[in-house]
């Protein structure tokens, strides 16, 4: 039986703490998946929907970008969080015009993202008029005309920004960026700017392509897999099956993370008897509980030790043939590491000499090495140098461009990599613009546009007046919450293409639109019949996704139809782009993509093959590096130990287990032992004592940065946890208020959400006040210090 949406917004008054788990998945994951699916969809709908996930004739999971295995698929080819994502989209709960007539925008603004998301699927376009207190229904034609009037009234196309979430399909993303560039702007910020932009920047510089170089088969052939700054048990659970298979094939696994995560300790595969009634598979051979921001120092140390081992036994460690034939910069890199200080390494990493030495021994015993990473590496000021250092480490052993080895940045949302391939990028390459212009008969804008951080700055300063979001929850995903919200409220128009209600809908410009769209799970029927869309996973595999379910409302349009409808309203009759015809049959869009984007030739035929097709990756496929010199690049990166004043810790923001990106499925973090609440800060017991705090005490988190602004997230419960000393962790979006807008990674401009210096102030408010604050996800307070 399904459950109704919650009437009241639950706070943290029922919060309880238990011992963290040391095993992931198993029967508890199955029970959790089925319970949530049943609550949202009911038993029959859940069964029919979940059995179609990640199947060749079904739909791609709207959750993470982990690839599907080739060939035969398991009957249940989904994970716990995938089931939650499908249930949230497939819910039978509905948000109608009547809901908005009952709830004012100011009332909804006091609700948490969890409460908003639990209300159900959006069913019709809604508009907030100037000065109005409530959203009201609007027809699609009128909605497109409203957007067109605002865009055409701008002084410049660059006064508009077009954001994209990683859920958007290839076909929709291609049309969306085409419209923005036909309008005349490259202001195409996307969620990649806040996550793997640092990966793309570093990889483009060093190996000539901003994507990972491995496939699933490479994982199964590796001798060593290093999982760094990543929690696959929560964020990419199907990765655990691949790690289990690799482990059974003889691979060793080293996990590097400030917190011990259950998914990297032991995995109980619910698709196997050993995972249901047995003890499962121990995964990590070595678990390094590294200090936040210590990864650059670790990989420099490993590189130096490999160089020393080679000097002791020439020809036995380094791949000199690869280094001499395919790389440049080796001598400068090797010379730079000679000055590496052991004291700096120990301070930066927080690791013992024994832990470091044991890791070196494991590395020396491996000939084929893969390094996987996620946000734990990409959201620091020195993220780009850190990832360059990972590349250095792999280049030493020739571990790029051969089976069982390579770089593996694990992407988050299901098509975030595909959207970038389709041209969702504020700094598009000239070759892409040339091809796009030639195909559609126009001269695209060449000036670089705004990424996410620059878009917020431009809205704040009045330079961007219209903000359009194709999916996502921009407010809850962005840093410096108070600044982001004020920036959006200063615009003339905000528009959000969405499946469900979220906080971004209640932080509006002078006018606002909510445009409801089909979900990945739903049947997309156009004039030529049912349509399929394509996506690209984290390993560059492109395949089709076909929704099956009846749409949540007859008033929903596909993202493709929304992009084309908007273009028609703004641009009028376009002699070069047949917008309406492209919507009638998505094969026509794919034909255009094939003529614009390398690697997509014969797109419509190849994508219909059993597993789709894999895009070319020159370093992997032929050891060809599209860098200025034609060689992979060793780099010399400066090590700066992140030191904080006394009484402060380094905060990393993270997800709970009942969360995917900004979508909050529930209020539990089962693996970490957090139940019925989210306002917790995880700290090492030694740090709790050193700071004069007590386990269970309520505190305010206050971030400190060089701009002199005090950013406060109130009412967090201190929880003793075996994180690295000198560090702490708390969930986003509650702690996004603490991340300064201008604190970004050098080279990528990604917010430094994993390196926030914080102090703790004893909570002076009454308990009831803390409960009230918890309902709004701690948007916090920002004010000048002093």
């Amino acid at each position: 039986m399904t459950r109704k949406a919650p009437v009241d917004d639950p706070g943290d008054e029922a919060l309880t703490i238990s011992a963290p788990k040391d095993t992931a998945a198993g029967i508890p994951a199955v029970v959790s998946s089925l319970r949530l699916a049943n609550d949202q969809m009911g038993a029959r709908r859940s069964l029919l929907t979940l059995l179609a996930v990640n199947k060749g004739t079904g739909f791609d999971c709207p959750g993470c970008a982990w690839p599907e295995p080739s060939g035969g698929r398991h009957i249940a080819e989904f994970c716990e969080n995938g089931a939650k994502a499908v249930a949230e989209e497939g819910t039978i709960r509905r948000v109608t015009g009547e809901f908005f007539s009952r709830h004012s925008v100011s009332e909804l603004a006091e609700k948490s993202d969890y409460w908003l998301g639990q209300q159900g699927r959006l069913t019709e376009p809604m508009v907030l008029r100037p000065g109005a207190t409530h959203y009201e229904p609007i027809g699609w034609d009128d909605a497109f005309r409203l957007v067109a009037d605002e865009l055409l009234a701008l002084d410049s196309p660059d006064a508009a920004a077009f954001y994209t979430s990683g859920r958007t399909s290839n076909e929709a993303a291609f049309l969306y960026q085409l419209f923005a560039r036909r309008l005349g702007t490259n202001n195409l910020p996307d969620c990649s700017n806040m996550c793997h932009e640092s990966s793309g920047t570093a990889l483009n510089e060093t190996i000539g392509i901003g994507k990972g170089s491995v496939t699933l088969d490479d994982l199964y052939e590796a001798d060593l897999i290093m999982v760094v700054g990543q929690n696959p048990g929560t964020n990419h659970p199907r990765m655990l099956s691949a790690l289990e298979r690799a482990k059974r094939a003889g691979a060793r696994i080293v996990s590097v993370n400030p917190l011990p995560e259950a998914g990297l300790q032991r995995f109980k595969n619910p698709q196997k008897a050993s995972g249901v009634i047995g003890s499962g598979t121990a995964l990590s051979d070595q678990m390094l509980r590294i200090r936040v921001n210590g990864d650059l120092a670790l990989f420099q140390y490993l590189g130096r030790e490999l160089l020393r081992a080679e000097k002791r036994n020439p020809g036995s460690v380094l791949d000199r043939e690869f280094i001499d034939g395919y790389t440049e910069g080796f001598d400068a890199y090797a010379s730079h590491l000679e000055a590496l200080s052991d004291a700096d390494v120990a301070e930066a990493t927080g690791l013992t000499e024994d832990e470091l030495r044991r890791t070196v021994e494991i590395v020396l015993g491996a000939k084929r090495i893969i390094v996987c990473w996620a946000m734990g590496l990409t959201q620091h000021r020195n993220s780009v140098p850190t990832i360059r250092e990972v590349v250095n480490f792999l280049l030493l052993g020739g571990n790029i461009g051969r089976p069982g080895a390579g770089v593996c940045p694990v992407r988050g949302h299901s098509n975030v990599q595909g959207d970038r391939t389709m041209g969702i990028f504020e700094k598009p390459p000239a070759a892409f613009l040339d091809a796009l212009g030639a195909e559609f008969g126009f001269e695209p804008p060449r000036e670089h546009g705004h990424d996410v951080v620059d878009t917020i700055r431009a809205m704040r300063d009045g330079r961007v007046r219209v903000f359009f979001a194709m999916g996502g929850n921009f407010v809850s995903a962005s840093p410096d919450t108070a600044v982001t919200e004020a920036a959006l409220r200063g615009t003339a128009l905000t528009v959000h293409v969405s499946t469900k209600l979220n906080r971004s809908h209640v932080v509006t410009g002078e006018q606002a639109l909510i445009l409801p769209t089909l979900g990945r799970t739903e049947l997309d029927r156009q004039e030529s019949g049912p349509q399929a869309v394509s996506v690209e996973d984290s390993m560059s595999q492109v395949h089709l996704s076909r929704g099956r379910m009846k749409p949540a409302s007859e008033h929903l349009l596909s993202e493709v139809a929304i992009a084309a409808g908007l273009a028609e309203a703004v641009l009028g009759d376009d002699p070069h782009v047949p917008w309406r015809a492209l919507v009638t049959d998505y094969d026509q869009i794919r034909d255009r993509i094939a003529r614009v984007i390398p690697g997509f030739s014969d797109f419509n035929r190849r994508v219909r093959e059993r597993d789709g097709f894999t895009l070319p990756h020159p370093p992997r496929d032929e050891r060809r590096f599209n860098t200025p010199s034609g060689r992979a690049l060793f780099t010399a990166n400066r090590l700066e130990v992140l030191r904080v004043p006394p009484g402060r810790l380094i905060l990393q923001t993270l997800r709970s287990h009942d969360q995917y990106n900004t979508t909050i499925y529930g209020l539990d973090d089962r693996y970490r032992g957090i139940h019925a609440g989210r306002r917790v800060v995880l700290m090492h017991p030694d740090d709790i004592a050193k700071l004069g705090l007590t386990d269970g005490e309520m505190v305010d988190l206050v971030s400190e940065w060089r701009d002199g602004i005090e950013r406060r997230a109130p009412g967090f419960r201190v929880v003793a946890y075996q994180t690295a000393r000198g560090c702490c962790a708390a969930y986003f979006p509650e702690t996004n208020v603490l991340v300064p807008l201008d604190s970004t990674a050098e080279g990528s401009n990604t917010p430094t959400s994993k390196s926030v210096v914080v102090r703790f102030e004893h909570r002076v408010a009454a308990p009831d006040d803390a409960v009230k604050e918890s309902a709004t996800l701690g948007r916090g307070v920002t004010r000048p210090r002093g």
Side-chain angles (χ1 to χ4, degrees), residues 452-467:
V452 164
V453 168
D454 284 338
T455 294
I456 297 170
R457 290 168 177 156
M459 290 190 293
R460 177 197 62 193
D461 299 340
R463 292 179 286 114
V464 163
R465 300 288 295 148
V466 174
F467 178 82

Side-chain angles (χ1 to χ4, degrees), residues 694-736:
T694 57
D695 189 6
E697 180 178 354
M698 298 299 293
V699 297
D700 289 355
L701 310 183
V702 184
S703 71
E704 298 180 349
W705 199 60
R706 64 191 185 205
D707 63 1
I709 300 295
E710 180 181 278
R711 296 169 174 84
R712 179 181 299 268
F716 280 70
R717 177 171 168 175
V718 173
V719 175
Y721 203 86
Q722 289 300 317
T723 185
R725 291 175 177 82
C727 311
C728 61
Y731 304 129
F732 72 83
E734 290 88 339
T735 50
N736 286 353

Side-chain angles (χ1 to χ4, degrees), residues 640-657:
E640 294 183 355
V641 179
L642 181 56
R643 298 181 172 95
V644 300
R648 276 69 172 168
L649 299 179
I650 308 171
L651 169 75
Q652 63 166 329
T653 69
L654 42 69
R655 305 172 187 166
S656 80
H657 191 63

Side-chain angles (χ1 to χ4, degrees), residues 507-542:
V507 179
T508 71
E510 183 180 353
Q511 297 185 86
L513 283 168
I514 302 173
L515 304 181
T517 189
L518 293 173
R520 187 77 61 76
T521 58
E522 291 171 314
L523 179 65
D524 181 356
R525 184 178 294 277
Q526 303 297 338
E527 287 184 26
S528 66
Q531 302 298 310
V533 295
S534 63
V535 296
E536 177 187 344
D537 63 33
S538 201
M539 294 180 179
S540 301
Q541 187 80 8
V542 180

